[in-house]
Amino acid sequence: MPQKEPADMTSHGDDALSSRTGAPGGDDRLSEDRSLLQQRLAVRELLDTEVSYLHVLQLCASDIRSRLQQLPQGDLDVLFSNIDDIIKVNSRLLHDLQETASREEEQVQLIGNTFLEFQEELEQVYKVYCASYEQALLLVETYRKEPELQREIQGIIEAVLPQAGPSGLSFLLVIPLQRITKYPLLLQKILENTLPDASAYAVLQRATSALQDVVTNINEYKRRKEVASKYTKVEPLSLRERLARINTHTLSKKTTRLSQLLKQEAGLVPRTEDKEFDDLEEKFHWVSLCVTELKSNVAAYLDNLEAFLRFRPQDYNLEIPGGPVVQYCYLARDLQLQAFPEFKQQLEAQVWQPLCSLAKALAGPQNLIKKRLDKLLDFERVEEKLLEVGSMTYEEEAARHTYQALNSLLVAELPQFNQLAMRWLSQILCAFVTLQRDLAKQVLQRAEDSLAQLPHHHLSEPAFRKLVEDALGQTSHQLHAFQENFEKVLPPPTTQPLLPGAERQVQALLSRYGPGKLYQVTSNISGAGTLDLTLPRGHIVALLQNKDTKGNSSRWLVDTGGHRGYVPAGKLEVYHVVPTEEELRGQARPHKDSQHQTPEPTSAPVPSVPTVTQVVAVYPFVARSSHEVSLQAGQRVTVLEAHDKKGNPEWSLVEVNGQRGYVPSSFLARAPSPAPWGWSLPS
């Protein structure tokens, strides 16, 4: 019996088939049955392969990705890209496709409608994956250069997916690309086995065309991304590297662009107008400007905050015992050690670093917009040639396509980028405001206990403000009076010692300009400009004009006795000419009764020092023989003879710390007589 059943079924099938072929329209019925069978097989292939494909994706996302711990997280993000999003979309797609099996008569039509519904979602998720596919392949190539790492990766993949074979990662990475390109083929196979007059035919036709458009759009998007990645890179090139890249081709290209631009500026050729892109570029420009200004302001804010944290008056002894000062010092020290450093740390983490990242993210689109302008000039030139000649070279066609790809990409993605940048910027500003508010709240909370112990805590705000203003006004008046009294009892001005051999230059300037015009350099001056002078400390100059040609009063025009030029006014002080000893004795004769007459302090050098005179060493000197004696700058020296044994005044015999010897006379200066001075506090 079991053997007769197939024979009976065969005979019945042959009879049915002969009856159909013998009857009118039997061939058509047979063809319809065969088409229906092929259609069901095509539907089954679609569903079965979708189940298998989704299973492989889930293994990649769960088992394989989790086991590749030896790879950096950045590499895993590139390799597996947005595979999680693809799994979500394809899981819903598979669920809807499997739901059609319960309605067999309408299944084909429902499959077509399902793919039409998922058209946009499939395009979006596979766009992202395909755009990062080339970068993922580059990573795979780098892994192959490390045999040990390659073996570890291959072992993990073969343990989870034996069918991957030796291809390993390459096999896994290409699976989503193969799947999205196979959808139009599977739908086309179902469509070919569907009768043209069936109600599902039109729906399947639209679905097949829609999936073909998805593949085309993904390929175009991938091509645009490759063009964009080429021009987005900002390479910090040196001048030598830039010059090395200049060749005949680049010069010709830049010359042609400049010619096209000049013709547009002159109105000889029309300029391509793109209102949509111009609006997007203007908005991007304003976003970039806001980010740049905010970054500059935050940098200044951080610098000021750093300066504020360095100023710690509470660490110094204010010599005010007890009272509110103790409470202030305690509060200020508490804030300085905890509240303000925490605020600075959070400010850098939540405001400064995100702001720097945002500014860095703007660099790519900025470079892309700049390249678009160059490619637009190439595109306009090619379009002109196409209208005139009717043909173009392969290179010109490539330039034309490059501009179209850049323009399409910018028009499509600049709105999203501008929106994200504005959202990013607003979040940074919100974080800044929140940190400021939290700091103020924290300071007030910490100050509550200290404020309650201050003597004026019970006063209202207007009364406290008036109290502070009155106290400051009174203190300002006292300080002004103190300043006036202080200036009356200031110590006599001191001058820097003259440079060796400078007396003749001083006498020349004095005879030419008079004592009121002479100034002395208080610290070394290094001239930066062509008219600026470089002078050492202690040099004497004569003032010619107390401002430069632009009216800047901080640069003075001076005469050194040999050169004229500008020096900073802040490094000059009035030089007090010291009279000679003969002049002092002549001035002292009419004032013999005066007991407090003291000569002006001086540091003028003494090339000829009187015998047994107390002087000061202006410069250090190291003895070179037993006839000489060493000096230190500022050391007191007793001059025994103002010349050597041959009468040469350039050397002087001196006594220093009980030792006698010769030193250069130009290294000595008269010791200034200390004038009694002091002040008394205002009563």
Side-chain angles (χ1 to χ4, degrees):
M1 291 296 295
Q3 295 177 352
K4 291 183 179 179
E5 186 174 353
D8 295 340
M9 291 177 64
T10 304
S11 62
H12 286 301
D14 293 340
D15 294 340
L17 183 60
S18 61
S19 63
R20 288 176 183 174
T21 53
D27 292 339
D28 295 338
R29 288 292 299 274
L30 181 60
S31 177
E32 289 178 10
D33 291 343
R34 288 176 178 172
S35 297
L36 182 60
L37 179 60
Q38 293 296 326
Q39 183 189 77
R40 290 177 179 175
L41 292 175
V43 170
R44 176 52 54 191
E45 181 183 4
L46 170 64
L47 294 175
D48 291 345
T49 54
E50 185 68 18
V51 171
S52 176
Y53 167 66
L54 190 59
H55 177 65
V56 172
L57 289 186
Q58 290 170 341
L59 289 177
C60 291
S62 58
D63 294 357
I64 296 178
R65 182 170 58 181
S66 61
R67 295 186 185 184
L68 293 175
Q69 297 299 324
Q70 63 270 47
L71 299 180
Q73 184 60 41
D75 288 10
L76 294 177
D77 292 340
V78 173
L79 291 173
F80 295 95
S81 187
N82 63 328
I83 192 170
D84 295 323
D85 296 333
I86 295 178
I87 291 174
K88 291 178 182 178
V89 174
N90 279 84
S91 296
R92 290 171 38 235
L93 174 65
L94 178 60
H95 176 269
D96 291 355
L97 291 175
Q98 289 175 336
E99 288 290 323
T100 62
S102 59
R103 302 169 63 180
E104 186 175 350
E105 296 181 358
E106 303 175 357
Q107 184 178 16
V108 176
Q109 184 173 355
L110 292 174
I111 289 175
N113 288 329
T114 300
F115 274 100
L116 289 175
E117 292 174 2
F118 278 84
Q119 175 186 356
E120 294 185 3
E121 290 187 76
L122 290 172
E123 180 175 336
Q124 291 301 322
V125 293
Y126 281 92
K127 258 185 185 179
V128 177
Y129 185 88
C130 293
S132 62
Y133 177 70
E134 295 296 331
Q135 191 176 358
L137 289 183
L138 293 177
L139 284 177
V140 173
E141 291 299 322
T142 59
Y143 300 152
R144 288 176 179 169
K145 297 177 182 178
E146 301 180 26
E148 185 176 351
L149 177 61
Q150 177 66 16
R151 283 194 296 271
E152 292 180 7
I153 296 174
Q154 186 66 26
I156 293 172
I157 295 175
E158 289 182 354
V160 179
L161 281 175
Q163 64 267 33
S167 299
L169 270 177
S170 301
F171 171 81
L172 298 180
L173 295 177
V174 79
I175 288 177
L177 275 69
Q178 293 175 338
R179 187 59 183 175
I180 192 64
T181 55
K182 196 171 183 180
Y183 283 135
L185 301 177
L186 292 171
L187 291 175
Q188 180 67 31
K189 190 172 183 180
I190 298 175
L191 178 65
E192 290 173 355
N193 292 284
T194 303
L195 298 177
D197 56 350
S199 59
Y201 190 85
V203 176
L204 279 174
Q205 199 172 31
R206 289 200 308 272
T208 304
S209 177
L211 267 295
Q212 288 173 347
D213 292 341
V214 167
V215 175
T216 302
N217 294 340
I218 290 175
N219 288 331
E220 180 64 19
Y221 180 80
K222 183 172 177 291
R223 188 178 71 86
R224 293 175 187 173
K225 279 292 186 181
E226 291 172 354
V227 173
S229 63
K230 175 183 177 181
Y231 295 110
T232 304
K233 298 177 182 177
V234 182
E235 298 180 90
L237 301 177
S238 63
L239 179 60
R240 178 177 296 182
E241 291 172 335
R242 292 179 184 275
L243 292 175
R245 292 192 175 189
I246 297 178
N247 51 39
T248 307
H249 176 72
T250 57
L251 287 175
S252 174
K253 189 164 57 175
K254 292 183 181 298
T255 303
T256 305
R257 290 172 181 170
L258 180 60
S259 173
Q260 183 73 14
L261 187 61
L262 292 176
K263 287 192 292 183
Q264 289 179 356
E265 294 294 335
L268 300 178
V269 295
R271 187 192 303 269
T272 302
E273 298 291 339
D274 192 341
K275 184 69 167 55
E276 183 181 7
F277 176 78
D278 292 342
D279 292 342
L280 292 173
E281 183 186 12
E282 183 179 5
K283 187 172 183 180
F284 175 81
H285 171 73
W286 283 111
V287 172
S288 302
L289 185 61
C290 290
V291 171
T292 303
E293 289 294 327
L294 181 60
K295 185 179 178 184
S296 175
N297 292 336
V298 173
Y301 183 90
L302 286 171
D303 290 340
N304 294 333
L305 181 60
E306 183 68 27
F308 169 75
L309 292 176
R310 286 197 299 266
F311 179 67
R312 299 182 177 184
Q314 70 276 3
D315 293 343
Y316 297 92
N317 184 14
L318 301 178
E319 298 182 356
I320 305 177
V325 175
V326 177
Q327 297 299 325
Y328 163 76
C329 291
Y330 175 77
L331 175 61
R333 191 175 294 107
D334 184 29
L335 295 176
Q336 197 87 18
L337 294 177
Q338 188 169 358
F340 289 127
E342 288 179 359
F343 170 73
K344 181 174 180 282
Q345 184 179 4
Q346 292 176 350
L347 189 67
E348 291 176 344
Q350 300 181 27
V351 176
W352 177 247
Q353 292 179 1
L355 194 58
C356 292
S357 299
L358 178 57
K360 187 178 180 181
L362 293 173
Q366 285 172 344
N367 199 46
L368 209 58
I369 290 173
K370 180 182 176 182
K371 288 295 181 181
R372 177 198 174 272
L373 178 60
D374 294 339
K375 300 303 177 182
L376 175 59
L377 295 173
D378 297 341
F379 174 79
E380 291 171 336
R381 181 182 58 82
V382 172
E383 289 295 307
E384 289 178 13
K385 180 181 178 181
L386 195 60
L387 289 175
E388 295 174 0
V389 182
S391 62
M392 54 184 171
T393 63
Y394 175 79
E395 184 178 355
E396 290 171 339
E397 185 177 4
R400 188 166 177 263
H401 288 326
T402 299
Y403 163 74
Q404 290 173 339
L406 282 178
N407 187 70
S408 301
L409 184 67
L410 286 171
V411 170
E413 297 195 356
L414 260 187
Q416 301 177 19
F417 185 88
N418 289 338
Q419 185 178 2
L420 290 174
M422 288 295 295
R423 191 184 307 168
W424 196 346
L425 190 61
S426 63
Q427 290 174 353
I428 292 174
L429 289 172
C430 289
F432 183 73
V433 173
T434 303
L435 288 175
Q436 292 276 13
R437 183 191 61 196
D438 293 344
L439 176 65
K441 184 178 179 181
Q442 187 177 3
V443 170
L444 288 176
Q445 288 176 350
R446 291 173 180 266
E448 282 182 357
D449 296 337
S450 299
L451 290 176
Q453 300 180 32
L454 294 178
H456 307 296
H457 72 279
H458 61 280
L459 294 178
S460 63
E461 183 177 348
F464 181 75
R465 186 184 299 274
K466 187 176 185 307
L467 177 65
V468 172
E469 291 176 354
D470 294 342
L472 290 177
Q474 183 180 2
T475 306
S476 175
H477 177 72
Q478 293 177 354
L479 184 61
H480 183 68
F482 177 81
Q483 180 184 2
E484 291 179 350
N485 293 334
F486 183 79
E487 290 175 351
K488 293 177 182 178
V489 293
L490 280 176
T494 59
T495 57
Q496 301 294 334
L498 288 176
L499 298 175
E503 277 194 343
R504 185 177 298 175
Q505 178 234 358
V506 174
Q507 291 298 328
L509 293 175
L510 186 62
S511 62
R512 185 173 183 180
Y513 297 101
K517 292 287 187 178
L518 265 58
Y519 286 80
Q520 191 171 28
V521 178
T522 59
S523 60
N524 294 334
I525 298 175
S526 298
T530 54
L531 297 179
D532 293 342
L533 296 177
T534 299
L535 299 175
R537 177 174 175 264
H539 201 90
I540 305 299
V541 297
L543 176 63
L544 299 178
Q545 193 171 0
N546 60 354
K547 59 183 177 181
D548 60 10
T549 55
K550 296 182 180 180
N552 183 7
S553 59
S554 64
R555 294 176 74 234
W556 287 3
L557 180 64
V558 299
D559 184 4
T560 65
H563 300 281
R564 294 186 177 187
Y566 291 98
V567 296
K571 294 189 176 184
L572 297 178
E573 67 177 11
V574 177
Y575 177 69
H576 300 275
V577 181
V578 181
T580 62
E581 292 185 359
E582 290 77 6
E583 292 175 344
L584 289 174
R585 284 196 292 269
Q587 294 174 3
R589 288 191 188 99
H591 305 284
K592 291 181 180 179
D593 298 333
S594 175
Q595 298 179 357
H596 303 286
Q597 186 71 24
T598 57
E600 288 280 347
T602 177
S603 57
V606 283
S608 178
V609 184
T611 307
V612 191
T613 305
Q614 193 75 14
V615 297
V616 176
V618 181
Y619 304 99
F621 176 71
V622 180
R624 297 166 297 180
S625 67
S626 60
H627 300 290
E628 298 175 352
V629 65
S630 299
L631 298 177
Q632 293 182 358
Q635 190 174 21
R636 292 278 181 173
V637 179
T638 301
V639 179
L640 303 178
E641 293 180 359
H643 52 79
D644 59 11
K645 293 181 179 180
K646 296 181 180 180
N648 183 7
E650 294 183 358
W651 291 88
S652 298
L653 179 63
V654 300
E655 182 177 353
V656 183
N657 296 331
Q659 296 181 357
R660 293 188 178 190
Y662 287 96
V663 296
S665 300
S666 59
F667 279 45
L668 305 177
R670 295 185 183 90
S673 302
W677 62 279
W679 63 82
S680 59
L681 294 176
S683 57

